[in-house]
Amino acid sequence: MTIKDLLIIGDGFSAAVALVHLLRQGIDSQSISILGKRTLGRGNAYDCVSPAFRLNVREDLPIIFSEDPLHFARWAKEHINDPQAKTSAGYFYRRSDFGAYMSQLVHHQLSGRAINQIQGEAQRITGSEGQWRVELNTGERIVAKAIILATGNATPTWPCTQRVEETSNHLTLTENPWLGDYIHRIPAKDSVLLLGGGLTALDAINGLVEQGHEGKVFVISPRAIFPPSQASWTRTKEPEWPNPMNPARLVRFMRHYLPNTPSDQSEWQCAWEELRPDLNLIWQGFNPHQRRILIKRFGWLWNLYRFRASPQTIAAYHQLRDLQQIEFRCGRANQIAVRDGAIHVTLSEGEVVRGQHLINCTGVARDPLLDQMTHTIANPDALKHSIEIDSQLAVLDQNGRAYQSLWMIGPATMGSLGDVIAASAIAKQAEQLAKSIRLNWMVNYHV
Ligand SMILES: Cc1cc2nc3c(=O)[nH]c(=O)nc-3n(C[C@H](O)[C@H](O)[C@H](O)COP(=O)(O)OP(=O)(O)OC[C@H]3O[C@@H](n4cnc5c(N)ncnc54)[C@H](O)[C@@H]3O)c2cc1C
């Protein structure tokens, strides 16, 4: 069995941006291996085939290099031909084009050197410092001196039971909608059920409108509200946060700081974005109980406003709304059944919503690899969705001590570090980690 020096588990944006920063720090490409099944750099977010799926941030916000924040904006101007990207709030490019940018960054940084890409999925990690054993779904085993976990957003799974009593080409159920390959299979006059009311549902709406959908769209969601459209915003002030801080004070302060205007207005979004840069440090100062309370009470509001949508996508929703083609059905799905020529979704209050195509827009599932690690070599994080890490991105062992050769970056670090979902926040983590690996780890492991 060969021993890998540094194994990155995952092959999406986080893995690619980690690779780019490791190479920039002078780490030998021969010592890095990447484990995954897809094209490096695209992952769940940027591997989509639908041209209707757009970035939800304007062109200057996906920052990959801290010293050159407008790198993507310049690249996009030069390489992307997308007249529809321009809006009054900035340019909102297609996610597939951002995926192409990431592929190009990797290609450029490797400049002809090969990278060891291993096809497969890690199912289990055991071992100890400097000697990690990784079992793959293919039956292969890998030993690695160090690991960066970059497994990202676990692929969506149905949130309730399904009973399929009959199958028919006229009825489709899409469990993982992130690729967007389901949209062209929906005939224009058919009725569509969207399970969930966040950005994935808005992606579906944009896709349907772009292909001229004429049928009804039902959105099944606990609340009849979509995230607002991105407006043009800039940061001009720095908030003076209360000290000491606790969750109640945080919420009170934010309420007072935000103007009494609709959330899709520039004024509101300027204030919101002035608050955001400090929130991760504030979050890290709260204990696990305080974090759980905050998410339980205000998580839905946070998700609503933090994830604003591209103006193109919201315009598509408004078009359906004005034509009275779209309706909310408030509640949570309890059961999905396919019978009598239709898909039936039974809600918790007993209401049944019927349609011909059901799209699961309920978001990320649990990550089985992180779940396995929770029971063996790591601790659950405060939100119990992932494993606990420290501010240096090191995974903590079951006694709360930081490993020196096991790190994690990307969305799964949220419970420990706060809002680390956007591309720029992940790129910052990758830059920080690459620097610390160069400084400390190379000395210990002679990479
Ligand atoms: C649909 C969607 C749209 C988004 N849109 C935006 C946006 O517009 N702007 C923005 O800033 N952010 C967006 N995000 C946020 C997104 O989390 C980040 O931008 C970033 O793409 C996350 O990258 P990742 O590599 O950590 O995760 P992912 O994109 O989820 O990629 C993880 C990869 O690792 C692989 N993998 C997982 N587990 C294993 C394993 N055990 N073994 C081997 N491989 C594994 C997966 O197959 C996948 O290819 C979006 C997220 C999603 C899901």
Side-chain angles (χ1 to χ4, degrees), residues 10-14 38 44-46 55-56 121-122 151-153 411 421-423:
D11 55 4
F13 170 80
S14 296
R38 303 158 80 154
N44 287 304
Y46 311 117
L55 290 174
N56 70 330
E121 200 175 297
T151 54
N153 305 286
I421 296 176

Side-chain angles (χ1 to χ4, degrees), residues 112-316:
R113 289 170 293 177
I115 182 88
N116 180 19
Q117 267 186 273
I118 306 163
Q119 288 289 316
E121 200 175 297
Q123 287 188 323
R124 195 173 147 80
I125 300 179
T126 52
S128 56
E129 201 72 273
Q131 213 186 4
W132 302 105
R133 288 186 296 278
V134 184
E135 292 169 30
L136 312 196
N137 60 334
T138 54
E140 195 184 337
R141 284 161 195 255
I142 300 173
V143 174
K145 292 182 190 169
I147 290 178
I148 298 175
L149 294 164
T151 54
N153 305 286
T155 316
T157 51
W158 292 114
C160 60
T161 56
Q162 316 96 54
R163 251 192 26 230
V164 180
E165 291 175 9
E166 65 189 47
T167 50
S168 147
N169 288 341
H170 307 296
L171 307 176
T172 64
L173 292 99
T174 303
E175 185 170 23
N176 173 11
W178 287 343
L179 267 182
D181 54 348
Y182 63 90
I183 296 176
H184 71 274
R185 290 195 290 268
I186 300 178
K189 295 194 188 309
D190 279 11
S191 53
V192 179
L193 310 178
L194 303 178
L195 205 55
L199 292 185
T200 301
L202 284 166
D203 277 343
I205 288 169
N206 201 27
L208 289 168
V209 167
E210 283 202 3
Q211 69 180 24
H213 194 72
E214 295 169 20
K216 274 270 190 188
V217 177
F218 296 97
V219 184
I220 299 167
S221 162
R223 297 175 184 86
I225 181 168
F226 274 130
S229 177
Q230 289 277 8
S232 167
W233 58 263
T234 46
R235 294 187 180 105
T236 49
K237 286 185 295 171
E238 279 186 24
E240 286 179 29
W241 294 96
N243 189 9
M245 181 65 95
N246 61 37
R249 282 207 179 127
L250 171 70
V251 172
R252 218 175 303 129
F253 180 80
M254 287 180 72
R255 273 202 183 127
H256 278 106
Y257 195 87
L258 291 166
N260 202 9
T261 56
S263 58
D264 60 359
Q265 300 297 302
S266 279
E267 191 190 352
W268 192 95
Q269 294 191 14
C270 290
W272 177 258
E273 291 298 332
E274 284 165 359
L275 292 167
R276 267 183 64 182
D278 299 320
L279 291 175
N280 283 4
L281 266 186
I282 293 172
W283 171 264
Q284 288 166 37
F286 291 154
N287 63 39
H289 175 70
Q290 290 174 316
R291 293 182 200 182
R292 279 194 291 277
I293 297 270
L294 259 179
I295 289 294
K296 197 169 167 201
R297 299 221 179 119
F298 301 104
W300 73 274
L301 265 177
W302 172 250
N303 284 336
L304 188 67
Y305 295 125
R306 180 234 167 279
F307 295 121
R308 300 191 300 275
S310 69
Q312 295 92 328
T313 309
I314 294 294

